[in-house]
Amino acid sequence: MKINDILTLYDKILIGFVIILSLILLLIPFYYFGSPAEGEELILKVQQGDELIKTVAVADSYDEPIVFEVEGPIGIHTIEVNQGRVRVQEAPADDPLKICEKTGWVDREGPIIVCVPNSLSLWLESTNSDIDGMSW
């Protein structure tokens, strides 16, 4: 028995419709959350524990990279801001998994770089965003 004997024309149309709808729904978030809107300025916020310790305008990093260090309970993190994106360049040697370093570059609102052993969090915020919250 062949598959063509089981499926009717309407079954094939329904399968095609579901595939096209799935692709459209998969691509919608990239359209709305893909890149910052015009006139929108991103700001890097660095928090250690409950205290916001540093705020950096990401637009300043287009001329030359901004590199700074943050000291925590287990050592020093080196943070790099370059061409509108941010990353943890180097995590302390005492950080067993170095997940915050492996996270890589963040260039938009939403994703957060977290280093649990050093109680360090980095994220980008927009100066004029319509989004007031996000969850993953």
Side-chain angles (χ1 to χ4, degrees), residues 13-27:
I13 291 172
L14 180 63
I15 291 170
F17 176 74
V18 168
I19 290 172
I20 291 171
L21 182 65
S22 299
L23 290 174
I24 290 171
L25 291 175
L26 184 68
L27 296 176

Side-chain angles (χ1 to χ4, degrees), residues 45-61:
K45 298 214 174 180
V46 181
Q47 180 176 340
Q48 191 160 32
D50 294 336
E51 183 183 348
L52 186 67
I53 58 171
K54 192 162 184 85
T55 304
V56 177
V58 176
D60 296 342
S61 70

